[in-house]
Amino acid sequence: DADVTQTPRNRITKTGKRIMLECSQTKGHDRMYWYRQDPGLGLRLIYYSFDVKDINKGEISDGYSVSRQAQAKFSLSLESAIPNQTALYFCATSSGHRAGYTFGSGTRLTVV
Amino acid sequence: GQQVMQIPQYQHVQEGEDFTTYCNSSTTLSNIQWYKQRPGGHPVFLIQLVKSGEVKKQKRLTFQFGEAKKNSSLHITATQTTDVGTYFCAALFGNEKLTFGTGTRLTIIP
């Protein structure tokens, strides 16, 4: 099994719909992150969490929300999806701020 | 905001040629990490550099951190088709989360 599992792998949704992307990890790490990847823009941080009771906004949090249900689970929600949220979304985890990140396989989201 | 500039955006090389990608910051970095993302894949951690002037090697890959800790490079010697992908640097500015560069996409001409 993968260390970081994201579901779904692919999703097409309509404008205005609510959608949740899920992430679970078996690394036992406290730190979890959600990134968005767009061509030519690299990876941009949406939200991050350093433990179950900690939630922080990243550089592009508008239009997104998160929930840290347990140490192993960190979900990302789009309350009302819009087409410019079409992107590849990655969840990641790390053991500390000087540790390498372990990424999930990504969720490709298309908003039509 | 804190940014890391990465160049070039694209690089096409003949198999066997060398390849280098560069990351630059206007402010001092706490550390820098490098990741590789294969086509259709996810970023995979390669290495972390922490010390000023640090040089680390992994087989044909050489990673350097500048003396002023404001720039870094990744050099691949004698590229192979398995090197295809996008290489990202990611910097820690002193806060506790990484800022990623925009990546360099490497394609190999056989």
Side-chain angles (χ1 to χ4, degrees):
Chain A
D1 289 341
D3 292 328
V4 182
T5 301
Q6 291 185 236
T7 56
R9 289 297 307 274
N10 292 281
R11 180 73 181 267
I12 300 174
T13 192
K14 293 184 178 180
T15 297
K17 293 291 187 182
R18 184 180 188 274
I19 183 169
M20 179 181 289
L21 310 183
E22 301 198 37
C23 176
S24 63
Q25 52 109 351
T26 59
K27 302 282 284 185
H29 293 164
D30 287 327
R31 298 177 178 229
M32 297 189 73
Y33 313 84
W34 275 104
Y35 282 89
R36 167 178 173 160
Q37 185 173 34
D38 299 276
L41 295 178
L43 292 151
R44 293 182 293 166
L45 184 62
I46 306 172
Y47 270 96
Y48 61 103
S49 169
F50 287 164
D51 65 43
V52 174
K53 297 180 181 179
D54 178 69
I55 299 290
N56 302 282
K57 292 183 177 181
E59 59 182 305
I60 55 163
S61 59
D62 287 349
Y64 302 94
S65 63
V66 291
S67 174
R68 184 81 185 265
Q69 302 95 321
Q71 185 201 41
K73 295 185 182 295
F74 192 35
S75 60
L76 175 72
S77 293
L78 287 68
E79 296 301 325
S80 179
I82 56 177
N84 76 1
Q85 291 177 313
T86 293
L88 185 55
Y89 290 85
F90 285 106
C91 174
T93 181
S94 73
S95 61
H97 71 284
R98 285 179 174 247
Y101 288 14
T102 301
F103 283 82
S105 297
T107 295
R108 185 167 296 279
L109 176 67
T110 303
V111 183
V112 298
Chain B
Q2 294 162 331
Q3 291 184 320
V4 178
M5 304 303 296
Q6 190 172 355
I7 56 170
Q9 188 174 1
Y10 302 96
Q11 186 81 58
H12 312 284
V13 300
Q14 291 275 357
E15 188 175 7
E17 291 183 341
D18 292 356
F19 159 78
T20 305
T21 175
Y22 301 89
C23 276
N24 296 289
S25 169
S26 59
T27 58
T28 302
L29 307 174
S30 294
N31 67 13
I32 195 156
Q33 298 180 3
W34 286 92
Y35 292 78
K36 177 183 179 180
Q37 184 178 19
R38 294 181 184 274
H42 57 276
V44 174
F45 174 72
L46 295 176
I47 208 161
Q48 175 172 263
L49 305 172
V50 179
K51 298 178 182 177
S52 168
E54 189 169 14
V55 178
K56 289 188 176 180
K57 293 189 175 184
Q58 290 180 349
K59 298 183 180 178
R60 294 177 295 104
L61 277 62
T62 301
F63 304 84
Q64 293 189 329
F65 203 7
E67 293 290 340
K69 299 184 71 174
K70 291 184 177 181
N71 57 76
S72 181
S73 65
L74 158 59
H75 179 81
I76 303 178
T77 303
T79 55
Q80 301 174 359
T81 55
T82 54
D83 295 326
V84 165
T86 301
Y87 293 85
F88 292 97
C89 61
L92 199 63
F93 283 90
N95 52 19
E96 298 206 23
K97 55 191 187 300
L98 291 177
T99 297
F100 281 79
T102 51
T104 296
R105 181 182 293 181
L106 173 63
T107 57
I108 307 288
I109 305 165

